Amino acid sequence: MTLVDIERRPEIARVSETDRAKLKTIWETRPGLAGFLSSVDHKDVGIRYIVTAFVFLILGGVEALIMRVQLAKPEQSLLTPEQYNQLFSMHGMTMIFLYALPVLSGFSNYLWPLLLGARDMAFPRLNAFSYWIYVFAGIFMYAGFAIGAGPNDGWFNYVPYASRQYNPGMNMDFYALGMIFLGISTSVGAANFIVTLVRTRAPGMSLNRLPILIWGTLTASAANILVVPAVSLAFFLLWMDRQFGTHFFDVSQGGQPLLWQHLFWIFGHPWVYAVVLPAMGMVSDGLPAFCRRPLVGYTPVALSTVATMVLGFGVWVHHMFATGMPNLALSFFSGASIVIAVPSAVAVFAWLATIWNGRPVITTAFLFFASMIALFVIGGVSGFMTGSLPVDWQLTDTYFVVAHLHYVLIGINVFPVVGALYFWFPKFTGRMLDERLGRWNFWTMFLGFNIGFLPMHLTGLWGMPRRVYTYPEGMGWDWLNMISSVGSFLFAFGVLLLLINLAVSLRRGKVAGPNPWDAPTLEWAVPSPPPPYNFDVIPHVASRHPLWEDRLQESEARTSLTEGYLLDHGRETIGTTPLDGDIDLILKMPEDSYAPFMLSVAISAFFLALLLHWWWLAAAAGVATIGAIAIWLWPEHDLGQTADAGHD
Amino acid sequence: MRRTERLFGKNCPAVLAILWGVTQSHYVLADLPASYLHGNGSKAYPVVSLTWGLLAISIAVTVIVCALLVLGIVARRARTDEIASTPVGRSGGGMPWLVWGTGISTVALFGSLVWTVAVLADINGPPSKPTVTIEVTGQQWWWKARYLSDDASRTITTANEIHIPVGQPIRIKLIGADVIHSFWVPALTGKTDTIPGQTNTMWLEADKPGIYRGPCTEYCGAQHAHMTAFVVADPPDAFKNWWDAQITSASAPTSDDGMRGQGAFVFHCGACHTVRGTEAGGTTGPELTHLMTRQTIAAGTLDNTPSNLAGWISNPQALKPGTTMPAPGLSGREVTDITAYLETLR
Amino acid sequence: MTDQAVADIGLEQPRVPVGSIRRRGTGWWGVLTLILTEASLFVYLLFSYYYFAFQSSGGFLPDKPPSLELSVPNTVILLLSSVAVWWGDAGVRRGRQRQLVIGLAIALLLGIAFVTIQLFEWREQTFTLRSSQYGSLFYTITGFHMAHVIVGLLVLAVLLVWSALGYFSGRRSAPILIGGAYWHFVDVVWLAVFFTFYITPYLRG
């Protein structure tokens, strides 16, 4: 046992091959299954998040395609009503909870330490834990669907239809417990991002130098910390009502159906921003690389990111405009819902200005990022329309809203994410995605999406309600639905091309080198793929665009990438002060560990036991959970968590 | 209507005006029974104008931004696809985009907000005291309508077809019987939910006679897709006649099969359905005293024809899977008889 | 990699702490985020209570609301246990290991006393989890709090073991700071719960 010094001067080194070899030994994860189950490397966790989220994206997409076949013509009977209702509920739940945020968490997990100049996230084990919980919660909810008891009340699951009286099967129990389960993952993941930002940035990485992606994920994480408990509580109260006869939502005993809606949307609306702000950040960081100039209006864009979320806490009632609340109260929320478009306008014009004041080089990634601006505007203006109270009384719960939310979720999440794949795939794998196939990929997705979803606005304006398993002839909706179905298959074909491109390029893609896009931020300063320790030495950051400093000539200061703190006494990274990013301490980072996986298994057993009322298993799993946490947190000498004899 | 036209003359590109003209034509009106791009009645007009106005703003914004985006890419595109050989430009410049873009957007947003609030004030209450109050109850998966009257003998209950007098504001009280539903008649009024445990009120008015379609718009379970109410706007005289007719009890059937059918109906259906003047007094299902005055059965699922009626009573689950109406297990003879009886309920 | 000038990169080389040092470690920030999200949970719980209280048209409160008889002393007990943790922590900061062990032991005992009295308090009530909205809210919210107290007691117990094993010193005692912060949070939340169930019925007049 080596003594961990209570204080030391961090060695400054100019990196050598010997140092690299030593760092590699220190940070490398074991090969094989053991490494797979115990790795806490943020890059492993990030890739797993992205891959898993894409699996769910494909599942949710297949569900959507089946629905589009059913809806292609009126009065079809491919699906029974119950099958359709489970499919649309699963589709919404999958896309919103199991794809949209996790895929962004994946990118952020992979990129944050690289963007911030750190060797890992603040809590590497917690990071692995949040991933395992996410996977197990996803499997949990899909298990219900597999045995015919998937959620069947839409993703927002209104009571009383979700209550036991109207929904006696296990459908809602799977969904309720699954959502509480998944909430654990979201919450700890969010906490990890916040602490990572506050404590582990490289020296010199002050707040005004953070990439916008960091602002987006940070804002989303702060929101999740505050609002995820609302939805977990709502689902818990529902579960109590269903299993223990409490009276929260049970109207015959004075329960309040609207309490569900308040708790759900207090969470739900900020969540929508949480699944788009980091993606908007990807565009804000990606566009400048291709436009060959820094983002126009960095500060307004960063502030608008935060402002969107702050306002986003105050608009949840616009999902409840038709519930008969007093018009005076509603008009306040109507106003807030319209005003919230202002910060979005800031971002849109910043992107446009970046294109107009730059020299855009057209690549597939650029096309995805740039097309997002158009889709963002369409999703934004339709959102603005639903913010207007009297108009929303017409629009709400029609296909207009279906069109709106898909422009938001596909336009502002999927398109930037696919752009981000083209942008960062070389960093993840060391190989470029094929550009030729990329163009086919882009145009099929872009056309397919717009053919599929643009007509839905009109379908809605012509009065088609959402969530109907079929519709009568003679309503004027027939040809619109047919077009939407055709478009959605074209869109799906585009996604298939993406998957083909990923599979082929992984083996045969052009070798990328560290910085194939000549981009300005820190992740491009390290090899592709990055070594397990990320940076040979902790960078010392002097500007917002470390790799463009010589060309931008904004000041004399230069970021140091080859000489800096070496930190090779075991796994270490630098801890800096929250605002200015000055060196504050040396953080000891944990070794790989099975604890996150074991803890996740114990918690999964706990939720399974609650579902099946196996109280003995619940008790055993509870004890195992406590034990796993105690082992995990047991103070370790090597992490500098215990006192040494002779020190202090 | 005139307000809409006035608005369009000023604010909208020609394309929109043409589109609007097309959708306003009677041909399209007849073809789009649930569209809310046009409306009939003092509550609908300001909302229709606002909808078109915001739509116009939205389309204009989309067109402008997309044009700027495409033009920007085309005009500023680098000469090479070789990214590393394209020099990196300095920071600075571009801020006027943010100032002007955000400034103009903010003005448009605040303008829309003011317009929204004005419309809201306009439609908040009926222009005059409502002449009729109807209590509408949403339940899985049909609509019950009770016409309230100070004179208890004039209080009637019907289902799925709500007659109102043209040109008079009507008050609707909305009751939730089981889960949440939403009452919506696109051409007349926006949505208000029926929520168990609370009573919501709203009003509507039709200024043209006609049949206005109203699908349920809050997801409510298996047959959410088949839960349509029809608001039938009659001239005031016709409305009064209708109401007077609804008050009367069903007249006894005269034919043999009708009389057999009545017996079978009371036996098999009477626990859930009411036909006034008979022993059938159930309230779980729709009241059927004047069934044959309605255009559809099963809340808009089927046209009200004898063959559809026969099909429906012999196997409702096949036509509306999940419906709360059980298969009554009728013999072929009983089906014919009951259908014959139901046809007498005028 | 871009080749940068090596000289004058302006990097300081101060002596800095290594590993987990009280508030400077990541754990402290971690527990702050935990407290923030848990506090949000209680905000939503109490929001639900007040939502029912304001939406109901009378008859929401039970005939016999929970009394102050046990709850006031119990509140004092819980607050005292917070003081004990604080005192123990103040001890270890000055290197007094024994004071830490004693403080944690007292806090643990007071916490157990709180749980025991709270169980009696639950038995006292005339309403049940299923008898009314009020009962559902009362047992769910105090139950949530109880669950947090039990987690807090497990934390205190583990900290007590670690302290007894001599793991901590003045600077190497972040776990005490972190666990202590959680315990203080659980106690502060109780004040909000106490105010809601035991004081507000009197404010209605």
Side-chain angles (χ1 to χ4, degrees):
Chain A
M1 179 158 108
T2 54
L3 233 54
V4 174
D5 297 324
I6 193 127
E7 269 185 2
R8 91 168 192 259
R9 289 187 194 283
E11 306 71 12
I12 293 180
R14 192 172 178 141
V15 91
S16 67
E17 280 310 315
T18 354
D19 290 333
R20 288 205 180 109
K22 184 178 179 196
L23 283 168
K24 190 167 179 224
T25 332
I26 291 174
W27 285 88
E28 201 166 37
T29 293
R30 272 179 293 170
L33 185 65
F36 181 77
L37 294 178
S38 66
S39 172
V40 298
D41 186 330
H42 70 98
K43 299 182 286 300
D44 290 346
V45 174
I47 295 291
R48 285 176 198 177
Y49 255 111
I50 295 171
V51 170
T52 313
F54 263 84
V55 170
F56 283 119
L57 176 75
I58 293 163
L59 288 172
V62 170
E63 287 152 13
L65 291 178
I66 298 171
M67 289 190 285
R68 278 320 317 174
V69 174
Q70 163 82 7
L71 292 177
K73 290 195 275 181
E75 310 279 14
Q76 299 250 93
S77 51
L78 172 74
L79 298 168
T80 66
E82 175 64 17
Q83 284 169 341
Y84 184 89
N85 294 342
Q86 286 199 26
L87 275 178
F88 87 70
S89 304
M90 285 303 287
H91 169 73
M93 183 276 281
T94 304
M95 294 309 201
I96 291 168
F97 297 122
L98 299 178
Y99 160 75
L101 190 81
V103 78
L104 300 178
S105 298
F107 277 96
S108 293
N109 261 313
Y110 195 101
L111 293 170
W112 266 49
L114 292 167
L115 289 169
L116 294 174
R119 289 217 167 114
D120 207 322
M121 299 281 287
F123 301 116
R125 288 175 297 190
L126 201 61
N127 211 16
F129 172 70
S130 84
Y131 171 75
W132 291 119
I133 290 288
Y134 155 54
V135 179
F136 292 157
I139 293 171
F140 184 90
M141 289 196 269
Y142 261 85
F145 183 55
I147 63 165
N152 59 0
D153 187 13
W155 70 283
F156 45 77
N157 209 50
Y158 278 179
V159 293
Y161 185 59
S163 68
R164 196 163 186 171
Q165 186 185 353
Y166 300 103
N167 221 318
M170 283 176 87
N171 313 53
M172 286 305 141
D173 302 309
F174 271 107
Y175 192 32
L177 291 172
M179 283 297 292
I180 300 169
F181 192 2
L182 183 65
I184 300 172
S185 165
T186 314
S187 301
V188 299
N192 205 356
F193 283 121
I194 292 172
V195 181
T196 300
L197 179 102
V198 174
R199 296 306 273 138
T200 67
R201 281 133 51 202
M205 182 58 88
S206 49
L207 290 184
N208 59 346
R209 291 173 184 163
L210 299 174
I212 302 288
L213 170 61
I214 302 276
W215 281 108
T217 312
L218 176 69
T219 311
S221 302
N224 282 337
I225 285 287
L226 297 175
V227 301
V228 168
V231 76
S232 300
L233 176 64
F235 276 104
F236 180 79
L237 297 181
L238 174 64
W239 185 69
M240 291 282 285
D241 266 13
R242 291 177 59 89
Q243 302 302 329
F244 300 102
T246 53
H247 306 296
F248 296 106
F249 307 122
D250 155 21
V251 179
S252 61
Q253 300 288 321
Q256 295 282 357
L258 286 190
L259 176 65
W260 172 274
Q261 298 190 16
H262 281 294
L263 288 175
F264 191 91
W265 290 118
I266 284 173
F267 152 82
H269 204 84
W271 180 267
V272 173
Y273 292 111
V275 302
V276 298
L277 289 176
M280 289 164 68
M282 290 169 167
V283 174
S284 294
D285 292 341
L287 270 186
F290 297 109
C291 292
R292 315 304 295 152
R293 59 150 293 142
L295 180 70
V296 173
Y298 169 88
T299 310
V301 171
L303 290 178
S304 75
T305 306
V306 178
T308 302
M309 190 52 91
V310 171
L311 289 171
F313 288 124
V315 298
W316 82 89
V317 170
H318 76 211
H319 296 269
M320 301 167 64
F321 277 169
T323 57
M325 290 165 72
N327 280 359
L328 191 66
L330 292 180
S331 50
F332 165 80
F333 286 98
S334 183
S337 306
I338 291 175
V339 170
I340 200 168
V342 173
S344 302
V346 172
V348 166
F349 287 101
W351 296 326
L352 284 179
T354 305
I355 290 172
W356 275 91
N357 288 274
R359 302 293 292 173
V361 178
I362 314 287
T363 63
T364 307
F366 173 82
L367 288 173
F368 274 102
F369 290 148
S371 63
M372 173 273 197
I373 301 172
L375 306 179
F376 180 91
V377 168
I378 298 175
V381 293
S382 58
F384 143 78
M385 286 183 69
T386 59
S388 172
L389 186 49
V391 178
D392 185 68
W393 282 330
Q394 292 286 9
L395 299 173
T396 186
D397 278 313
T398 68
Y399 263 77
F400 189 89
V401 172
V402 179
H404 161 67
L405 73 92
H406 283 89
Y407 268 86
V408 170
L409 290 169
I410 296 180
I412 324 182
N413 181 299
V414 176
F415 273 75
V417 160
V418 177
L421 268 182
Y422 277 88
F423 190 50
W424 280 299
F425 184 84
K427 182 51 61 188
F428 298 163
T429 65
R431 291 180 184 273
M432 310 290 285
L433 282 170
D434 187 72
E435 276 292 316
R436 229 177 112 100
L437 193 50
R439 298 306 159 90
W440 281 95
N441 175 195
F442 169 75
W443 287 109
T444 44
M445 274 180 74
F446 183 76
L447 290 174
F449 173 65
N450 285 295
I451 293 170
F453 290 87
L454 205 56
M456 274 188 200
H457 292 101
L458 198 54
T459 321
L461 291 167
W462 286 354
M464 179 159 165
R466 69 193 282 204
R467 300 179 165 181
V468 290
Y469 73 95
T470 189
Y471 53 92
E473 281 178 87
M475 303 297 292
W477 307 330
D478 308 16
W479 59 277
L480 289 170
N481 274 298
M482 181 53 90
I483 293 175
S484 288
S485 293
V486 170
S488 53
F489 273 88
L490 185 61
F491 179 65
F493 180 67
V495 176
L496 184 66
L497 291 181
L498 170 69
L499 299 177
I500 292 170
N501 200 352
L502 290 168
V504 171
S505 302
L506 193 59
R507 300 224 178 80
R508 300 205 204 126
K510 204 170 77 184
V511 173
N515 192 359
W517 313 115
D518 187 28
T521 38
L522 280 181
E523 79 273 31
W524 302 107
V526 299
S528 306
Y533 48 89
N534 291 354
F535 295 95
D536 299 336
V537 293
I538 303 292
H540 186 248
V541 180
S543 76
R544 201 178 289 153
H545 305 100
L547 307 189
W548 281 0
E549 284 163 359
D550 286 337
R551 285 171 278 177
L552 293 176
Q553 293 290 347
E554 283 168 335
S555 78
E556 293 295 303
R558 289 292 176 269
T559 296
S560 167
L561 296 162
T562 49
E563 189 179 16
Y565 303 125
L566 180 62
L567 305 182
D568 61 346
H569 301 202
R571 292 190 180 181
E572 291 177 335
T573 194
I574 211 77
T576 45
T577 55
L579 292 179
D580 298 329
D582 293 330
I583 178 168
D584 193 34
L585 81 167
I586 296 168
L587 292 166
K588 304 293 288 186
M589 306 300 271
E591 295 296 315
D592 287 354
S593 163
Y594 293 107
F597 180 75
M598 301 310 284
L599 178 57
S600 306
V601 170
I603 293 177
S604 305
F606 182 69
F607 276 94
L608 183 69
L610 291 185
L611 178 77
L612 300 173
H613 291 201
W614 291 351
W615 304 123
W616 56 270
L617 178 62
V623 171
T625 301
I626 293 162
I629 294 174
I631 290 168
W632 179 336
L633 295 178
W634 207 272
E636 284 177 58
H637 172 84
D638 289 348
L639 296 183
Q641 292 170 333
T642 59
D644 291 317
H647 281 272
D648 200 30
Chain B
M1 194 75 84
R2 228 178 300 119
R3 294 176 65 156
T4 324
E5 278 162 352
R6 214 169 48 224
L7 176 79
F8 265 78
K10 275 196 309 222
N11 286 350
C12 248
V15 172
L16 260 181
I18 292 164
L19 184 65
W20 174 79
V22 169
T23 56
Q24 290 290 302
S25 74
H26 287 288
Y27 167 72
V28 177
L29 246 175
D31 239 20
L32 298 170
S35 167
Y36 45 92
L37 287 174
H38 46 72
N40 287 320
S42 59
K43 191 176 184 187
Y45 295 140
V47 180
V48 169
S49 306
L50 180 62
T51 307
W52 277 101
L54 298 190
L55 202 55
I57 294 173
S58 298
I59 293 173
V61 168
T62 306
V63 168
I64 292 168
V65 172
C66 289
L68 288 174
L69 178 65
V70 173
L71 280 178
I73 295 172
V74 171
R76 298 289 303 164
R77 184 175 181 172
R79 286 196 191 84
T80 162
D81 283 347
E82 202 50 53
I83 199 159
S85 56
T86 311
V88 169
R90 301 285 288 267
S91 299
M95 281 311 278
W97 281 82
L98 264 74
V99 175
W100 284 101
T102 313
I104 293 170
S105 309
T106 307
V107 170
L109 289 168
F110 273 97
S112 311
L113 185 54
V114 170
W115 191 357
T116 293
V117 173
V119 170
L120 203 54
D122 207 2
I123 63 170
N124 197 26
S128 58
K129 196 168 174 297
T131 52
V132 180
T133 300
I134 309 169
E135 191 183 85
V136 174
T137 306
Q139 47 201 311
Q140 288 178 324
W141 288 277
W142 58 285
W143 300 92
K144 180 160 86 183
R146 244 180 101 223
Y147 286 67
L148 305 182
S149 172
D150 295 336
D151 176 1
S153 69
R154 287 189 66 79
T155 300
I156 52 161
T157 303
T158 178
N160 298 330
E161 246 177 61
I162 301 167
H163 286 251
I164 61 167
V166 162
Q168 299 174 18
I170 310 297
R171 175 184 291 127
I172 310 271
K173 292 170 92 169
L174 292 165
I175 313 278
D178 37 41
V179 304
I180 299 177
H181 307 272
S182 197
F183 182 73
W184 180 42
V185 189
L188 302 180
T189 175
K191 301 170 190 81
T192 307
D193 294 348
T194 69
I195 300 175
Q198 72 182 61
T199 302
N200 286 335
T201 54
M202 52 115 77
W203 68 278
L204 55 80
E205 185 194 319
D207 67 358
K208 285 197 188 72
I211 299 175
Y212 300 95
R213 205 183 166 92
C216 173
T217 38
E218 188 63 79
Y219 173 70
C220 55
Q223 282 298 339
H224 171 55
H226 289 126
M227 185 172 164
T228 305
F230 295 88
V231 171
V232 183
D234 300 324
D237 289 349
F239 173 73
K240 188 173 174 303
N241 293 341
W242 173 83
W243 192 334
D244 290 343
Q246 292 288 315
I247 295 168
T248 60
S249 294
S251 43
T254 49
S255 66
D256 283 354
D257 48 358
M259 284 189 288
R260 276 196 311 273
Q262 182 175 26
F265 177 85
V266 170
F267 179 75
H268 287 289
C269 318
C272 295
H273 294 282
T274 294
V275 172
R276 275 176 280 125
T278 73
E279 285 164 45
T283 53
T284 316
E287 131 98 61
L288 299 176
T289 310
H290 299 283
L291 173 66
M292 296 318 286
T293 62
R294 301 179 200 155
Q295 312 266 336
T296 70
I297 53 175
T301 311
L302 300 164
D303 288 339
N304 191 358
T305 63
S307 63
N308 279 343
L309 270 176
W312 173 249
I313 60 175
S314 46
N315 193 354
Q317 294 297 334
L319 297 166
K320 192 172 175 179
T323 175
T324 48
M325 176 158 159
L330 304 173
S331 69
R333 182 64 183 270
E334 284 171 324
V335 171
T336 327
D337 290 347
I338 293 177
T339 308
Y341 170 64
L342 292 176
E343 284 180 76
T344 69
L345 299 175
R346 295 185 181 280
Chain C
M1 219 178 281
T2 46
D3 200 11
Q4 306 277 352
V6 182
D8 292 330
I9 58 169
L11 210 51
E12 298 167 26
Q13 207 184 358
R15 272 186 82 79
V16 289
V18 180
S20 179
I21 300 286
R22 302 283 301 179
R23 282 194 170 77
R24 290 163 87 172
T26 45
W28 169 246
W29 288 88
V31 80
L32 290 185
T33 57
L34 175 69
I35 287 174
L36 197 59
T37 195
E38 295 267 44
S40 308
L41 174 65
F42 279 94
V43 166
Y44 299 124
L45 277 166
L46 296 177
F47 167 80
S48 305
Y49 174 89
Y50 290 109
Y51 187 83
F52 277 110
F54 286 115
Q55 292 287 329
S56 69
S57 44
F60 171 70
L61 289 175
D63 299 335
K64 184 174 162 291
S67 85
L68 295 170
E69 210 172 316
L70 284 175
S71 60
V72 168
N74 215 17
T75 303
V76 173
I77 286 173
L78 198 60
L79 293 178
L80 283 177
S81 82
S82 247
V83 174
V85 168
W86 172 82
W87 180 74
D89 185 50
V92 76
R93 264 183 287 156
R94 293 185 192 79
R96 296 180 202 145
Q97 303 257 5
R98 259 192 44 204
Q99 185 176 332
L100 173 63
V101 174
I102 294 169
L104 288 174
I106 294 173
L108 188 63
L109 289 174
L110 290 170
I112 291 169
F114 174 87
V115 169
T116 317
I117 295 171
Q118 185 68 4
L119 288 174
F120 278 106
E121 173 71 10
W122 280 357
R123 282 182 50 183
E124 287 277 292
Q125 306 309 329
T126 53
F127 47 82
T128 68
L129 182 72
R130 296 178 199 204
S131 64
S132 63
Q133 261 81 51
Y134 184 88
S136 298
L137 285 162
F138 179 84
Y139 286 104
T140 302
I141 296 175
T142 57
F144 258 103
H145 182 261
M146 183 74 119
H148 282 74
V149 172
I150 289 168
V151 169
L153 289 177
L154 290 167
V155 170
L156 289 180
V158 171
L159 289 178
L160 183 61
V161 172
W162 291 346
S163 307
L165 290 170
Y167 281 179
F168 302 123
S169 65
R171 301 179 77 184
R172 292 264 191 249
S173 53
I176 301 292
L177 182 75
I178 293 164
Y182 185 76
W183 186 249
H184 297 318
F185 161 72
V186 169
D187 296 355
V188 169
V189 163
W190 172 252
L191 293 180
V193 173
F194 174 76
F195 177 81
T196 300
F197 283 103
Y198 294 88
I199 305 296
T200 55
Y202 295 98
L203 301 180
R204 289 165 76 103

